[in-house]
Amino acid sequence: MAETDDVFLNALDARLELLDATPQFDESGLVSSRYNLRLNPGECALIECRDMAQAALFADMCVGLIPLGAGHVRCMGLDWADLDERRGNALRGRIGRVVVTGGWVDLYGTHMNILWPQLHHTRIPTDRLQAQAVHLALQLGLPGLPVIPPNRLSALDRRRAACVRAMMGEPTLLLLEHPMEGAPASLMNAFLSLVTDLRDRGCAVVWMAPDESGWGDYASDATIRLRLYDDGLFSMRGS
């Protein structure tokens, strides 16, 4: 479990809760509509969003990076608006994220890109982080932890590395922005196995994709299926 300074988490708290959360459009790019969502430990929301740039902004709101004009966004029972910078960073250490834009820094090796979020947000010893990263990399089909810069990896290996980075530190919330785009069946199966294992340990998952092909056969394992539009989140029929 990630060590998060003095941020104490209740195992019964919702992993993610949006209560009439209304972003400030002029500072976020999201339309000032009300967003509502609650995910308890182990639950999974599959969200269809045609515009993945909008999906990324929604994920930003979930991690407290979007200013609100009204409402609340809470992670693990804690309202982002109530947290100072240090405690906010500690809480983000419990959140894994696959970013649709990649979020890589090509001046450094991929291994450092993978380790940095946990090195910044937690106090877990580096050797433990490296061991976990290698273990995840092997499970996702990499021969080990890549040390070359991300721009020298194939697109598929960057996708694997992004999943390793997101799953580091045993997250209690996982935000996935179309993580399996173009992935072969072998990678999808390995990824789903890891996601299921995290959910079994109480992690909640938000998985966003442009259409239902993005999550393959996983729809039957989801708690809720939604669509993300400019005017909020809406339930999909049959979900």
Side-chain angles (χ1 to χ4, degrees), residues 80-94:
W80 291 110
D82 297 335
L83 303 179
D84 59 24
E85 182 179 1
R86 183 177 67 85
R87 298 184 78 226
N89 283 337
L91 184 56
R92 291 186 185 98
R94 303 301 306 271

Side-chain angles (χ1 to χ4, degrees), residues 110-171:
T110 304
H111 63 305
M112 290 306 303
N113 277 264
I114 288 172
L115 297 174
W116 265 331
Q118 291 297 308
L119 290 172
H120 177 66
H121 293 307
T122 76
R123 293 180 292 184
I124 299 174
T126 303
D127 58 344
R128 282 175 53 194
L129 290 174
Q130 289 176 333
Q132 185 187 28
V134 170
H135 178 68
L136 288 168
L138 292 173
Q139 287 183 282
L140 289 166
L142 289 167
L145 192 59
V147 297
I148 61 175
N151 61 357
R152 292 179 57 191
L153 291 175
S154 69
L156 181 59
D157 283 349
R158 278 196 303 273
R159 196 161 299 281
R160 290 188 171 103
C163 295
V164 172
R165 180 174 58 185
M167 294 178 176
M168 290 288 294
E170 298 186 15

